Amino acid sequence: MDPIDCDPDTASRMRFVSVLWRFSRPHTIIGTIVGIYTLYLLVCGAHHTSCVSYLLMALLIGITCNIFIVGINQIADVPIDRINKPYLPIPSGDLTVEQARIIVYTAIGISLSVALCVSPYLFIIIALSAGMGWAYSMPPLYLKRHHLTAALAITFVRGILLNAGGFMVFQYLVHGTLHMPGDVKLLTMFIVIFSIVIAWFKDLPDMKGDAKFNIRTFAILYSPRTALILGHVLVGSAYLVTMGIQYVEGRASGFSSTDTQVLFYGHIVLFGLFLINAFTIRLHDPLSVRTFYMRFWYFFFGEYLLYILAYTV
């Protein structure tokens, strides 16, 4: 047997890393990482090595702020998660509430400290994001209690503050301008719409606990089918608008630009897969609903990855 297998300290550290990874809600961390790297490329370009320090700091700031927001939500939602997500670290007993508080306060301390070192404006953005995350999960505001305020909070943080706000801070630091290119505006528009729909779809697997604790989600107030249809209409419209704009730009340039080609044809592929995925969900099957929601995040990742591909080929 490998000696490392018998080392209790090593096993304890590995267990902690595993619990922390589950506590951080990996799909949101991945979304933060690909989003930040995409904005880095849009600001600095694929071969601009002088910006790497900004990238590393942005990743540290974004990941730790993300951990704070999702962690505060889990601390606040322990009774609900015992019904909806009993596998999470706190309701499963792998993490105590006190340990979770240490993690989230350490995370936000790191995020705010590094942000302040980069720029006071970035500090304000992170402070607003953290404040909105707190208001989403905690009384007295408890914005998640109603689908409208919940969607506005998620959209404001992920779509506007971190996407548009983060881009402009680093654009100013690197280039001394607040100019936002058309591609960034289009990406921000798409992420704003996607964030609204994520706010609706994330509640589909959690209706049992939400109903018991009087959380007025879109699916509970208007039915899961209505949430699905309207959500797909909104995101589908975002795809069509994005493809339409890119088609017009491509026609104007004769599709001579590689990034225009990648973005236009890539969105056609993503839209086709999006339509196929829309018909995979079986609302009567809880496993199908949860799988559908997690697969929906792939399209969120895919949007950023498409821009990464466009600006690196």
Side-chain angles (χ1 to χ4, degrees):
M1 182 181 292
D2 193 326
I4 197 171
D5 294 334
C6 300
D7 185 349
D9 291 335
T10 300
S12 178
R13 284 192 293 269
M14 293 300 293
R15 179 180 175 279
F16 174 76
V17 169
S18 174
V19 170
L20 180 60
W21 178 242
R22 288 162 49 214
F23 181 69
S24 69
R25 307 297 280 143
H27 59 285
T28 65
I29 292 290
I30 294 169
T32 296
I33 291 172
V34 296
I36 288 172
Y37 185 67
T38 303
L39 297 177
Y40 159 76
L41 286 179
L42 291 169
V43 170
C44 300
H47 307 293
H48 205 308
T49 56
S50 63
C51 297
V52 171
S53 60
Y54 282 142
L55 171 63
L56 296 177
M57 287 188 290
L59 287 171
L60 178 60
I61 293 165
I63 290 171
T64 50
C65 184
N66 196 116
I67 290 173
F68 171 79
I69 291 173
V70 299
I72 281 294
N73 181 250
Q74 291 173 71
I75 290 170
D77 281 0
V78 174
I80 303 175
D81 286 340
R82 286 197 179 106
I83 299 172
N84 291 338
K85 303 183 185 76
Y87 52 84
L88 288 178
I90 299 178
S92 68
D94 291 330
L95 196 69
T96 67
V97 171
E98 291 73 21
Q99 290 170 328
R101 287 198 178 103
I102 293 172
I103 292 171
V104 298
Y105 293 139
T106 301
I108 196 57
I110 293 171
S111 188
L112 289 171
S113 300
V114 178
L116 185 59
C117 291
V118 174
S119 165
Y121 300 107
L122 186 59
F123 175 85
I124 292 171
I125 288 174
I126 297 303
L128 285 173
S129 300
M132 188 64 72
W134 180 277
Y136 176 87
S137 299
M138 292 291 190
L141 294 178
Y142 199 34
L143 299 178
K144 72 166 288 179
R145 189 185 297 277
H146 193 277
H147 73 87
L148 181 59
T149 51
L152 288 174
I154 292 172
T155 301
F156 184 63
V157 171
R158 194 169 280 280
I160 297 174
L161 285 179
L162 300 184
N163 217 68
F167 173 85
M168 285 194 290
V169 167
F170 286 101
Q171 177 81 328
Y172 185 78
L173 289 173
V174 175
H175 300 296
T177 177
L178 294 176
H179 171 67
M180 183 178 286
D183 280 347
V184 179
K185 293 177 182 177
L186 202 56
L187 175 61
T188 300
M189 178 275 297
F190 193 98
I191 297 302
V192 163
I193 293 174
F194 212 101
S195 297
I196 293 171
V197 178
I198 280 179
W200 294 346
F201 284 5
K202 75 178 183 60
D203 298 320
L204 290 173
D206 298 337
M207 292 180 60
K208 185 177 179 181
D210 290 344
K212 180 176 181 179
F213 287 88
N214 196 31
I215 308 297
R216 290 171 288 179
T217 67
F218 195 96
I220 287 175
L221 289 178
Y222 302 104
S223 85
R225 188 169 299 279
T226 301
L228 276 172
I229 292 172
L230 188 54
H232 280 93
V233 168
L234 281 178
V235 176
S237 299
Y239 273 118
L240 292 174
V241 169
T242 299
M243 289 186 293
I245 292 173
Q246 289 166 345
Y247 177 75
V248 170
E249 292 177 353
R251 283 291 300 273
S253 64
F255 282 98
S256 58
S257 170
T258 302
D259 58 321
T260 301
Q261 293 179 37
V262 170
L263 290 174
F264 177 65
Y265 293 111
H267 275 104
I268 291 176
V269 172
L270 284 179
F271 183 55
L273 294 173
F274 172 79
L275 292 177
I276 294 171
N277 186 61
F279 293 97
T280 63
I281 186 170
R282 299 184 301 277
L283 283 173
H284 62 278
D285 182 353
L287 178 59
S288 174
V289 173
R290 192 170 297 279
T291 302
F292 167 84
Y293 171 65
M294 296 309 299
R295 194 163 51 232
F296 188 74
W297 271 85
Y298 295 162
F299 295 96
F300 182 85
F301 306 152
E303 186 66 16
Y304 282 116
L305 292 172
L306 200 55
Y307 281 83
I308 291 174
L309 180 62
Y311 282 86
T312 52
V313 295

